[in-house]
Amino acid sequence: MGTEKLERLKEQLKILGLREIQEIFEEEAEKAIKTKLGYIGYLSKLVEEETLAKTDRSINRRIQTAKFPWTKTLEEFDFSFQPSINEEEILKLADLSFVDKKENILLLGPPGVGKTHLAIGLGVKACMARYRVLFQSADDIVGYLYASLVDSTTGKKLDALSRLHLLVIDELGYLPMDPKKANLFFQLVSKRYEVGSIILTSNRSFDEWGSIFGDEVIAAAIIDRLVHHSHIFNINGRSFRVKDKLGKTHEKKCL
Ligand code: ADP
Ligand code: MG
C-alpha cells in the first residue's frame, strides 16, 4: 500500500475513534501474513483488540502484560515516611500527562526507599488509563536485546519497545555492563527519546553512571537523552524494608 493511502487510512481510523486498530493494524497485518490468518481472522483480531481497549477487561490484561513483579498502588505509598519525595509532584505525575508529553521520570536513591513501588504505582495508573506499559529490570531488558544479536532481530525488538507508551526500567546499576550491552542500552534510550516515556530507577547517582556503562562518553550520552525532558527525584531517606527491624534493634538497645 502506498504511503499516501496508508496515511489516509490512519487518519480515517482516527476520525472513527478506532485508536487501538490505528496503532496495531500494521503489526497485526505482518503477523497475519506469517501465521496465514486470513482476511476474516485478521479483521476479527483487530475488532477484538479494539473492543478490549474499550472495556474494563483491558485494564487487567494491560496490568498482566506489563509484567510488574508485584503490584502496589500510589495510594499505598506512605509519603510521610519519605519526606525527601515531593508528594505533590508525584501525585501530579499520576495525571499521566508525562506519558502524553513523552517525558521521563528518574527515581534515584539507595535501596528500600520506594523507587520500585513508585514506578509500579505510576505504571499501574498508566495501565488503568489504557496505555501500553512494560516493566523490566535493566539487566533483563539488556539481556533480552543482547540475545537478539544472535538472530539479528535487535532492530525489530527495539521498534517494538519504542511503540510502548511507557517503559519502566528498574534497578539500573546493580550490575555493570560490558560495551555491547552499554551500547544496546544507549540504542534503547535513543529510540524512545521524544517518542515514549521511560521511568527509570537506580541506586546510583549520575556521576557513577560511567562505571555502570564502563565508559564516561556513553554514560553522558544516555544521561543527556534521559534527562532532557524529565522529572528527577533524588530520594535520600531511610529504607522502608529495614524500618521495623531497625526500630526493634533500637528498642532492644534501649531496654
Ligand atoms: P527500592 O526500589 O527503592 O529498593 P521498593 O520500592 O522495592 O524500594 O520498596 C521496598 C518495600 O517497601 C516495598 O514492599 C514497598 O512497597 C515498601 N515501601 C517502600 N517505601 C514505602 C513507603 N514510603 N510507603 C509504603 N511502602 C513503602
Ligand atoms: Mg527497587
Side-chain angles (χ1 to χ4, degrees):
M1 188 183 258
T3 325
E4 230 173 80
K5 269 200 176 163
L6 200 61
E7 286 312 308
R8 177 86 187 117
L9 174 58
K10 283 183 188 167
E11 191 56 38
Q12 286 170 330
L13 288 169
K14 198 173 166 190
I15 292 167
L16 291 171
L18 300 171
R19 211 181 78 178
E20 190 65 19
I21 294 184
Q22 186 203 339
E23 292 207 15
I24 64 168
F25 79 93
E26 289 168 282
E27 203 177 329
E28 289 303 328
E30 270 184 37
K31 280 192 213 160
I33 293 167
K34 270 193 207 141
T35 57
K36 301 199 170 72
L37 189 58
Y39 298 118
I40 293 180
Y42 172 62
L43 180 62
S44 63
K45 171 77 180 159
L46 293 185
V47 173
E48 171 77 13
E49 291 299 319
E50 186 66 47
T51 311
L52 274 174
K54 286 194 164 51
T55 59
D56 277 351
R57 259 198 308 157
S58 75
I59 293 174
N60 279 339
R61 207 190 57 160
R62 273 168 206 275
I63 291 175
Q64 270 167 17
T65 41
K67 298 199 178 108
F68 298 113
W70 29 274
T71 43
K72 282 267 170 100
T73 59
L74 285 185
E75 288 73 21
E76 288 169 274
F77 197 82
D78 178 1
F79 285 94
S80 66
F81 182 79
Q82 215 55 268
S84 68
I85 302 173
N86 186 331
E87 175 175 1
E88 224 174 285
E89 224 178 305
I90 295 277
L91 297 184
K92 222 169 86 194
L93 289 171
D95 76 2
L96 303 172
S97 55
F98 78 96
V99 180
D100 292 324
K101 291 190 258 174
K102 335 277 189 218
E103 292 169 349
N104 300 327
I105 299 176
L106 307 178
L107 300 161
L108 309 175
V113 294
K115 303 181 297 297
T116 303
H117 185 143
L118 291 173
I120 291 175
L122 288 164
V124 168
K125 282 257 184 290
C127 290
M128 290 169 84
R130 300 197 172 88
Y131 286 110
R132 270 175 288 127
V133 181
L134 181 67
F135 181 106
Q136 290 279 291
S137 75
D139 293 332
D140 284 350
I141 201 157
V142 165
Y144 167 75
L145 290 172
Y146 190 75
S148 73
L149 292 173
V150 179
D151 58 0
S152 312
T153 52
T154 315
K156 273 203 173 153
K157 301 231 151 85
L158 284 169
D159 283 344
L161 287 170
S162 71
R163 280 195 290 269
L164 296 162
H165 294 114
L166 174 62
L167 175 63
V168 182
I169 305 174
D170 196 35
E171 296 194 340
L172 177 76
Y174 274 94
L175 295 173
M177 292 181 199
D178 68 29
K180 267 198 184 145
K181 289 188 171 174
N183 183 272
L184 287 166
F185 193 84
F186 169 71
Q187 286 189 53
L188 174 64
V189 169
S190 301
K191 196 90 195 182
R192 287 191 63 82
Y193 175 63
E194 296 185 337
V195 169
S197 298
I198 292 176
I199 298 182
L200 181 133
T201 81
S202 178
N203 60 346
R204 303 290 197 92
S205 59
F206 290 133
D207 54 1
E208 295 171 297
W209 284 28
S211 60
I212 302 175
F213 297 109
D215 180 343
E216 294 294 339
V217 178
I218 206 157
I222 289 168
I223 291 170
D224 192 61
R225 280 158 186 78
L226 277 176
V227 165
H228 187 197
H229 310 288
S230 72
H231 306 264
I232 303 173
F233 295 86
N234 283 297
I235 312 169
N236 47 33
R238 290 181 295 148
S239 166
F240 198 85
R241 286 197 190 96
V242 293
K243 89 176 159 121
D244 295 333
K245 292 197 183 87
L246 286 182
K248 276 175 196 144
T249 326
H250 182 67
E251 276 162 23
K252 265 186 204 153
K253 268 187 198 155
C254 292
L255 285 172

